[in-house]
Amino acid sequence: MSKTHGQAAPQQPRRPSSSAAGPERQALDQEAEEVAVAVMAASRLLVAISARALASIDDTMTLPQLRALVVLESCEPLKLAAMATTLGVNPSTAMRMVDRLEAAGLVDRRTNPASRREVVLNLTDAGRSLVSRVMAHRQAEVGALVARVPAEERAGLVPALRALTRAAGEPAVDPFDQVRRIGGLVEDPLAPGR
């Protein structure tokens, strides 16, 4: 409406002036950048710990192969297509990875009797053992590292790491949830007696 008819023009919401929001915004941006740098450093540390744990158990295996075994261990039996989606790779990449893991005796791959077009994966006893040993080695090294952090600083890590994990919504954090969402879990069609 116009002012000529006796009514005031609608007011626009006030924006903070750039000079007032500038320093506050810059401080938030700087804090976010510092947190990102710290998280990246911690990420590199955790990858290095995982690599050392894997190398101590099997120096021929790669971290992506270990990740596939961990996903499978969490979700088996699992469709090959669901594994590819959970790992964020295309099906042919997942198939090549499974070929190597099967050749190493770590994965059992079979056709799903309920749907001949689907491949169903399970860990072998050797695959389960490898995952267990690598995770135990990694847990021991992380535990020793955390024990060296002063107690007053350690207490702040738990809520911060939980918040980061929640914010990520990453399938790697909970592969079972991701697999369930994409329909990759199957009733165990390969169990004896079925």
Side-chain angles (χ1 to χ4, degrees):
M1 295 188 189
S2 72
K3 291 183 179 182
T4 57
H5 291 112
Q7 296 187 3
Q11 294 209 350
Q12 297 293 321
R14 295 188 84 194
R15 293 185 186 167
S17 69
S18 59
S19 62
E24 184 178 308
R25 180 68 185 179
Q26 287 176 341
L28 289 174
D29 289 348
Q30 183 176 354
E31 179 185 39
E33 181 65 25
E34 288 174 17
V35 170
V37 168
V39 168
M40 291 301 295
S43 173
R44 285 190 300 273
L45 170 66
L46 293 173
V47 168
I49 289 171
S50 293
R52 284 194 298 270
L54 181 57
S56 74
I57 306 299
D58 183 342
D59 62 357
T60 65
M61 180 164 290
T62 66
L63 284 174
Q65 289 170 334
L66 175 63
R67 184 171 177 239
L69 292 176
V70 169
V71 166
L72 187 54
E73 190 251 351
S74 302
C75 305
E76 67 181 319
L78 184 63
K79 297 174 188 175
L80 178 65
M83 176 185 265
T85 301
T86 301
L87 294 175
V89 299
N90 63 46
S92 63
T93 299
M95 180 68 86
R96 285 190 302 276
M97 188 179 300
V98 168
D99 288 343
R100 290 184 197 107
L101 295 171
E102 185 179 39
L106 302 171
V107 171
D108 177 50
R109 168 182 32 195
R110 298 190 189 171
T111 302
N112 184 350
S115 175
R116 306 299 259 154
R117 297 179 66 203
E118 293 177 340
V119 174
V120 178
L121 308 169
N122 280 293
L123 285 179
T124 63
D125 289 341
R128 215 172 266 94
S129 173
L130 184 136
V131 169
S132 176
R133 290 182 296 146
V134 170
M135 292 303 151
H137 189 285
R138 188 170 74 172
Q139 171 102 24
E141 190 171 345
V142 168
L145 176 66
V146 169
R148 291 195 307 262
V149 175
E152 61 276 3
E153 292 178 18
R154 194 180 322 144
L157 289 175
V158 173
L161 291 171
R162 285 184 178 154
L164 187 64
T165 301
R166 279 191 308 274
E170 171 66 29
V173 174
D174 184 5
F176 187 78
D177 184 54
Q178 169 72 6
V179 168
R180 191 178 324 104
R181 275 197 310 272
I182 62 174
L185 290 177
V186 293
E187 294 297 318
D188 194 350
L190 308 177
R194 282 196 170 218

